[in-house]
Amino acid sequence: MSIKMEMLRCFRAVVEHGRLSDAAEALGRTSSAVSMMLKQFEDHIGKPLFETTRKARLTALGQQIYNEACRELDHFDRTLINIEGLARAEIGYVRLAVTPSVATVILPPILRSFVENHPKVRVEMRDMNSTGVQRALLNERVDIGIASFGPVAGLEREKLFGDPFGVVCRFDSPLAQHKRALSWEDLNARDFIANGLCQQIKDPEFQQILDDSVMYVPNTSSILALVRAGVGVTLLPKLAVLPDFRDLVFVPLANDVPEREVYLATPPKALLTPAALAFVDAIWANPHGVPADRL
């Protein structure tokens, strides 16, 4: 007969309560059931665990086994708690990869709400461009991605919101003084800084502006720094221009405004942990997380 966890529980209860009847009450069993379980345990050990039949004092071996039994039972109970916590999304971890604008503008209120409701779940967030988000998902380095990219085999993708493109320039640029939305013609003869997001705009008139551009900068932070320095103007989604950039202006485009489509992407839901699924639910409970004046 192998040693069972219930044998260890009975043994510990008898040691800690001092009498079979008290141990049985604590375990919710009859005294005879506890006595039988304890006898089976001692028979398996092959040596007495108590000095007397009254179970008042442990033998030296009994004391050593009691210490080991307590350690094993405590570990087992912690493991059960952790397993149940993982299943209920009370513990665990969530790995996110998002674009910088999403990390700065969209996620803070969502994270605040999630942490309040799941205080023991660890959240790891990385900000990167959309290509990096897609790569991190495919390499299984993250559970959830929020970015802009097309359909990808092996990933589930749902649109969260659209973020309109516009011209980004310094506050003292002539473009910032326009009282109307801008057209593509307004960008002619301007020093235009191209970026990766520009590829999402298919309008032929804009393609000519891209072809004429002599500067390409993929990193949004670097682009904004160049615009602030007066190197040129660029085209970005509205959320990419953070409120802290007070010396930059986002100028809307006229008619048929293109927009960046922002998607929530994950592996198939069946492969997500309960904690990751809970975070997905938190995102859909507040998909924008953006003040109205920022959209």
Side-chain angles (χ1 to χ4, degrees):
M1 177 187 296
S2 60
I3 296 177
K4 300 177 181 179
M5 297 301 295
E6 284 308 303
M7 288 181 179
L8 299 182
R9 290 195 190 282
C10 283
F11 174 54
R12 183 171 70 175
V14 171
V15 173
E16 293 176 351
H17 290 86
R19 295 193 306 177
L20 285 174
S21 58
D22 292 343
E25 183 178 352
L27 293 171
R29 295 183 163 213
T30 64
S31 295
S32 60
V34 172
S35 178
M36 182 180 298
M37 184 73 70
L38 190 60
K39 184 177 185 306
Q40 290 175 346
F41 185 44
E42 282 192 303
D43 289 345
H44 182 84
I45 298 299
K47 293 184 179 180
L49 301 175
F50 296 90
E51 290 186 354
T52 66
T53 57
R54 297 184 62 182
K55 316 300 183 188
R57 185 183 176 100
L58 288 168
T59 63
L61 175 62
Q63 183 64 54
Q64 290 177 327
I65 292 176
Y66 170 72
N67 294 339
E68 291 298 324
C70 288
R71 185 160 38 247
E72 183 63 29
L73 287 169
D74 289 343
H75 174 72
F76 181 74
D77 290 340
R78 284 195 303 270
T79 300
L80 286 182
I81 291 171
N82 288 340
I83 289 172
E84 292 169 354
L86 287 168
R88 293 192 297 264
E90 293 175 353
I91 60 175
Y93 62 90
V94 181
R95 302 169 301 170
L96 310 172
V98 300
T99 57
S101 58
V102 170
T104 307
V105 182
I106 305 296
L107 279 185
I110 295 173
L111 280 167
R112 182 172 59 248
S113 174
F114 183 81
V115 170
E116 288 174 355
N117 293 320
H118 303 82
K120 294 184 178 180
V121 174
R122 181 171 177 245
V123 179
E124 176 185 308
M125 183 177 72
R126 307 175 187 180
D127 65 315
M128 56 191 75
N129 61 28
S130 291
T131 301
V133 172
Q134 177 180 323
R135 189 181 301 116
L137 282 164
L138 291 174
N139 291 337
E140 300 181 359
R141 294 199 304 271
V142 299
D143 309 300
I144 299 169
I146 302 179
S148 300
F149 52 79
V152 179
L155 298 180
E156 295 182 2
R157 189 184 67 126
E158 297 177 85
K159 182 179 175 180
L160 272 177
F161 60 89
D163 187 11
F165 279 94
V167 176
V168 180
C169 59
R170 280 173 54 97
F171 72 96
D172 55 359
S173 167
L175 294 177
Q177 314 308 317
H178 280 258
K179 303 300 183 183
R180 56 172 175 79
L182 300 178
S183 66
W184 298 129
E185 291 181 0
D186 292 313
L187 296 181
N188 289 333
R190 303 283 178 184
D191 293 322
F192 187 81
I193 305 172
N195 60 77
L197 291 173
C198 291
Q199 301 304 320
Q200 298 183 28
I201 302 172
K202 305 303 181 183
D203 191 304
E205 291 185 57
F206 180 64
Q207 290 303 310
Q208 185 59 51
I209 295 171
L210 278 184
D211 292 342
D212 293 340
S213 174
V214 296
M215 187 176 297
Y216 174 83
V217 181
N219 182 274
T220 301
S221 297
S222 299
I223 297 168
L224 295 175
L226 291 172
V227 174
R228 295 176 84 176
V231 175
V233 302
T234 193
L235 206 70
L236 286 172
K238 188 173 183 180
L239 291 180
V241 187
L242 304 178
D244 293 343
F245 291 97
R246 302 185 185 280
D247 51 350
L248 296 182
V249 177
F250 177 90
V251 187
L253 291 167
N255 302 330
D256 300 323
V257 179
E259 67 175 19
R260 170 182 62 163
E261 294 185 334
V262 180
Y263 290 89
L264 169 64
T266 67
K269 297 295 190 297
L271 301 180
L272 291 180
T273 64
L277 287 170
F279 199 92
V280 169
D281 289 341
I283 293 172
W284 285 115
N286 184 11
H288 290 168
V290 188
D293 63 351
R294 294 286 292 144
L295 286 175

